[in-house]
Amino acid sequence: MTLKPLRLDAEGPLLATPADFSQLIGAAWGREVDAVVIPTSRLHPDFFSLSTRLAGEALQKLTQHGLMLVVLGDVSVHLEKSQSLRDFVHEANRGRHARFVASEAALAQLLAGEKTP
């Protein structure tokens, strides 16, 4: 199954609060998309600190609206700092509601419905 994404530009305001993700859902509404692709450059550093709960709240909001969260870019710096984030990314990549992809090639595979590494 191919995914129809709403893709954010790499340049633009940071998504820093649950309200920012609500606005993103509003932007996706009516566009017949089933995934939201967010470059890492658009995510506030708090997203990668699970103690802030921003990642969990964002994922929950998107999932409740039938949208997959796709984080595009290298998150290795954040993963090195946090075992809980490594676990979160690992579990997300095993599920159906979120994916962390490091490259455009991996994103293309995901959107085409192919298995990603």
Side-chain angles (χ1 to χ4, degrees):
M1 174 178 98
T2 60
L3 294 171
K4 296 177 211 141
L6 169 64
R7 186 169 177 168
L8 298 186
D9 292 329
E11 301 282 323
L14 293 179
L15 300 170
T17 67
D20 294 336
F21 287 93
S22 293
Q23 288 180 342
L24 181 58
I25 291 165
W29 190 258
R31 291 192 182 189
E32 297 184 23
V33 299
D34 38 35
V36 177
V37 179
I38 305 172
T40 55
S41 61
R42 294 291 299 276
L43 293 168
H44 190 278
D46 283 353
F47 182 88
F48 300 103
S49 177
L50 295 185
S51 64
T52 67
R53 300 181 184 196
L54 182 58
E57 287 184 46
L59 179 57
Q60 182 178 19
K61 283 180 180 292
L62 291 165
T63 299
Q64 286 175 338
H65 289 86
L67 297 167
M68 174 188 275
L69 168 64
V70 181
V71 175
L72 172 63
D74 183 8
V75 296
S76 60
V77 170
H78 302 287
L79 297 178
E80 290 173 7
K81 297 176 186 176
S82 171
Q83 178 63 46
S84 59
L85 181 61
R86 281 192 300 273
D87 294 342
F88 179 81
V89 168
H90 177 75
E91 288 303 315
N93 285 341
R94 291 181 54 197
R96 297 179 308 192
H97 304 294
R99 289 287 190 287
F100 287 76
V101 295
S103 67
E104 290 288 337
L107 175 62
Q109 283 183 304
L110 175 66
L111 296 177
E114 300 171 15
K115 192 162 189 144
T116 55

